[in-house]
Each structure stands twice: as structure tokens, then as C-alpha cells.
Amino acid sequence: MAETWNSAVRQKSTELHGHTWHVTFDDSITPDGTAPGWYQYISGSFAGFTCSLCKRYWASKRVQVIFHFYLNSASNQGTIKVRCFKQECKRCDEAQMEEPNFPVENVDVLVERLVGKIRMRCYKEDLGDTNRASKLFDKIEGPHESLHCEACHLGICSQAK
């Protein structure tokens, strides 16, 4: 999963002033819990899940993703920490929180939006309304399962509000 995200960021490197940015996944980051000098961006996207117990597949149209990012201007290197919130199977009594599986198209759109935020925050660029252009690939309709959503449990899911 990390390679898909790093590849999407590398494709945007020209927009990031040629600096090198690395993506790491960190399940400990929280909304508004950024370290000094770091910035935050929260978004959501469609993703699929597979239960590790019963192998049931389900899709969710709003999976929360938190990004914390920081540019070390001395080394021209940036770090992006990502936390993708999990969901659990509604059929299994001992269900585990499962990792989301994002379509590549949605990773690309999430990274495109993130890069816009990085350009505004770290490089002080004025992008106007251009950071709203891309549409996420969303192929499902239906209710959000708040009882099985990690972000809802933590009170940060946009669907629960």
C-alpha cells in the first residue's frame, strides 16, 4: 500500500519544487495532534474492505484519511504521515478493524488534493480555487455503518456529523 501512495507523490514531485517527499503510515496520528511545524489535511474517499475472519467484502463511500506533513527546508525533504481509518465486519462477533483498500484512482485524487495543501502551506503558494478540481471515484450508494467505523468510534467521521 505504501508504494502506491509514494508513487502517486513522486508523480507530483515537479509541483513540489523538485523536493523529495516520503509517505509513511502511522496509526497513532490524530486530528489536531500535529507536532510543531507540521500541518494537517483530512479527507475522505471510497474504499473497499475484506474481513480477515469470514472473507466478506464490503465497500464504504466515506473512509476518513488524515495526513500530517512537514517540509525540512534545510534538507529539502518532506515527510507525509498517513492514517487511513479502518472498519470492521458487521457480521462477525469477533471482528477486527480492517485496513481499507483504495482504488488507485482515488489514491491519485487524494494525493492531488494533498499536494495542493502542501503547496499552500509549505511553499506559500496561492492556488485560489484550483485545489477543488478532481472527483473521487465513487461507485456505491447506501448507508454508512457508523457502529463499525473506527473514525465514528473516535468522533471524527464526517458521516457521523
Side-chain angles (χ1 to χ4, degrees):
M1 179 164 66
E3 183 50 39
T4 301
W5 290 80
N6 274 303
S7 175
V9 169
R10 276 193 303 275
Q11 289 175 3
K12 294 286 194 180
S13 65
T14 57
E15 293 180 41
L16 297 172
H17 300 259
H19 295 157
T20 303
W21 285 78
H22 297 284
V23 176
T24 59
F25 288 87
D26 184 345
D27 283 346
S28 71
I29 63 174
T30 59
D32 303 318
T34 54
W38 287 69
Y39 298 99
Q40 172 177 281
Y41 173 58
I42 300 175
S43 191
S45 176
F46 165 85
F49 296 86
T50 302
C51 178
S52 56
L53 299 175
C54 73
K55 306 304 181 208
R56 175 181 165 262
Y57 173 84
W58 71 95
S60 178
K61 96 186 268 189
R62 194 78 177 161
V63 179
Q64 293 294 107
V65 182
I66 296 178
F67 301 95
H68 287 185
F69 55 94
Y70 171 78
L71 174 63
N72 181 335
S73 49
S75 67
N76 293 328
Q77 301 244 344
T79 301
I80 302 166
K81 293 183 181 181
V82 181
R83 179 176 181 181
C84 301
F85 285 89
K86 303 170 187 174
Q87 293 184 11
E88 64 186 2
C89 180
K90 68 181 181 180
R91 291 194 186 146
C92 292
D93 291 336
E94 301 294 322
Q96 302 174 47
M97 286 289 179
E98 305 292 351
E99 296 283 345
N101 182 16
F102 294 96
V104 173
E105 299 91 346
N106 284 16
V107 172
D108 290 342
V109 171
L110 286 166
V111 167
E112 182 178 329
R113 291 177 178 177
L114 172 65
V115 165
K117 299 299 181 188
I118 291 171
R119 290 173 62 193
M120 290 187 297
R121 297 289 193 157
C122 296
Y123 301 110
K124 309 300 183 215
E125 293 182 37
D126 180 3
L127 302 180
D129 288 337
T130 59
N131 201 29
R132 302 177 186 262
S134 298
K135 173 117 174 75
L136 291 167
F137 175 66
D138 182 0
K139 60 183 178 186
I140 66 163
E141 295 290 329
H144 178 66
E145 299 282 348
S146 296
L147 291 175
H148 305 284
C149 172
E150 180 184 33
C152 285
H153 291 193
L154 298 172
I156 58 170
C157 183
S158 64
Q159 291 297 303
K161 295 176 181 172

